[in-house]
Each structure stands twice: as structure tokens, then as C-alpha cells.
Amino acid sequence: MKALVIVDVQYDFLPGGALAVKDGDKIIPVINSLQPKFDLIVATQDWHPADHGSFASNHPGKNVGDITQLGGVDQILWPVHCVQESRGAEFHADLGTSNWTKVFRKGTDKEVDSYSGFYDNNRQQDTGLADFLKNKGVYEVVIVGLAADYCVKFTVLDAIQEGFETTLVKDATMAVNIQEGDFDKALQEMHQAGAQIILSDNL
Ligand code: VGL
Ligand code: ZN
């Protein structure tokens, strides 16, 4: 079976949000048009406590974009985003959610960030996504959402490592692009790791 994995399509990653991805909202109709093609749909949700260690404001003297150590790995400091129960953490109202089987929340431990929908950045904690998909008989995953150069990329790389045939839909993702070219770099990394990169028309 083939599953659609929708990564972090939440207000804080959309235009007007705390960590907005430019044109991030453009992917919502594309994702909605893909959903009827799948028997199994799951989503991930960035879901941080207010004191999360990835927020620059929780590190006195540090700024957004600075690098620190968190959970034993390098951590980029972000603006406060996707705080549990806040509007910014909600899925966009235009995104169809009625056929989703399950939502996997991540980034809940303040001591470590979690870009991937499967594991935290230090690969200590497991969201249960891999076992869930395998128990459903999924062998192929199609991944879409935000952001292409962070959570989508690490979800794709972990999906490959977990043995799934993994496809990224290029017009159903957008990048933060802290550095110009980060989107292309991420696409290359995912492709080199074994992901198929396609356009939604080809699905
Ligand atoms: C993300 C930065 C921090 C993402 C989440 O969803 O790509 N990026 N938290
Ligand atoms: Zn986050």
C-alpha cells in the first residue's frame, strides 16, 4: 500500500505565520488534489512546548538564526512557532483533513528538536510513524508539505532509511530558503539518498 505523509502544513509556516515559508499556501490546493489518490493519509504536526530549546527567545543573548547545541546536536535557533494549542500550530483551515488516519506530533520534548516526522534530531525518540505505516502494510510513501529544506527533507531521508520507497512531490512543498538555493540543495540531497522527485501531475 501507498501512503501520503503531509508534513507540518500549519499556520506558523504559512504566509503571516511566525516562521513563514514564502508562498507556502500555494501548496494547499495541490495537496488537496492529491489526497483522493491515497487509501492512507497521515500528517505530522510541529508541536512545541513554550519553553522549547529551539526558540531563540529561550536562550538569553542569542538571536534567531544563531546556532547552539540542543540534545547533543547542532541547533538553529528559530522564532517562537507552533506552540502547543496556539493558532499557529493549527493546520490551515483550507487543508482537507477528513480522510486522515492519524496525526503524529513532534518537537514536544524541549531538550531536542524534531524535524523528521519519524525521529528527533538526535535519533533517540520515535514518533511511532514507521511502525504505524509498516503495520498498515505500507511499502511506499509520498511526502508533501513544509518546509522542504527542514522537516520535509528529514522526513524523506528517514523514510528511505526505514526502507520505504519514497517520493517527494516537488510542487507540493516549499522551502524556508534561509540561504538562496537551499531548496535545490535539499532536492539534490533527497534525490541522492534515493527519493524519487516528481510533479503532482505525474502521480
Ligand atoms: C520546521 C523549523 C523548525 C519545519 C519546524 O516544519 O520545517 N522548521 N521547526
Ligand atoms: Zn519547530
Side-chain angles (χ1 to χ4, degrees), residues 27-39:
I27 69 171
I28 293 173
V30 181
I31 294 173
N32 284 341
S33 74
L34 293 178
Q35 294 198 60
K37 299 178 195 269
F38 290 85
D39 296 320

Side-chain angles (χ1 to χ4, degrees), residues 23-97:
D23 293 331
D25 51 334
K26 303 252 165 77
I27 69 171
I28 293 173
V30 181
I31 294 173
N32 284 341
S33 74
L34 293 178
Q35 294 198 60
K37 299 178 195 269
F38 290 85
D39 296 320
L40 183 71
I41 305 171
V42 297
T44 67
Q45 188 173 29
D46 215 35
W47 193 251
H48 298 306
D51 59 354
H52 196 261
S54 74
F55 300 164
S57 58
N58 290 328
H59 299 265
K62 293 215 189 294
N63 299 305
V64 168
D66 287 354
I67 312 275
T68 189
Q69 287 285 306
L70 188 68
V73 291
D74 280 357
Q75 175 70 48
I76 303 176
L77 292 176
W78 301 107
V80 174
H81 66 277
C82 297
V83 173
Q84 297 172 4
E85 312 296 346
S86 70
R87 176 177 162 84
E90 288 175 20
F91 298 112
H92 192 285
D94 293 344
L95 185 67
T97 60

Side-chain angles (χ1 to χ4, degrees), residues 1 3 40 42 101-102 130-139:
M1 185 157 67
L40 183 71
V42 297
T101 305
K102 197 169 159 133
D131 283 343
F132 178 85
L133 294 173
K134 287 174 188 176
N135 287 335
K136 296 276 185 196
V138 171
Y139 62 91

